[in-house]
Amino acid sequence: MDANELESLPAAELHDRAVRYAVRHGDLGFLWDLLKVIPAAEAASGHDNESANDLSRVSALLSDALASGEGELGEALRPIYVNYLRRHPDA
């Protein structure tokens, strides 16, 4: 899938493809990077309280990573998914 095709996908599909690929290939680096940017993405999407809670609870971050493709959060994380999927065209 080329860059233009990736850009046209909904955030939820980008999330699903990127996370599924990372899990299948044991790419903990990507998953960790995703966990680190989720609080900032939540703050940017207007969920400041959720961001503060996530910083204090690792389990919440893990849960967020698995469900971070939906709604405003998915849209805020879109560049992360597109960048990762560009580097892994077979995802």
Side-chain angles (χ1 to χ4, degrees), residues 1-84:
M1 195 169 260
D2 71 23
N4 288 333
E5 291 171 316
L6 286 174
E7 290 288 350
S8 70
L9 293 176
E13 186 170 345
L14 291 169
H15 163 269
D16 292 349
R17 285 174 176 246
V19 170
R20 185 172 50 243
Y21 184 88
V23 168
R24 192 169 53 238
H25 290 88
D27 190 347
L28 298 178
F30 171 75
L31 295 171
W32 182 247
D33 288 344
L34 180 60
L35 291 175
K36 291 189 298 186
V37 298
I38 285 173
E42 285 183 331
S45 62
H47 301 278
D48 293 330
N49 290 341
E50 189 66 27
S51 176
N53 290 336
D54 284 349
L55 290 172
S56 65
R57 294 180 11 237
V58 172
S59 63
L61 287 174
L62 292 172
S63 176
D64 283 350
L66 296 176
S68 62
E70 300 294 327
E72 293 171 348
L73 179 58
E75 290 302 324
L77 293 169
R78 168 184 282 283
I80 303 298
Y81 301 134
V82 168
N83 183 42
Y84 183 73

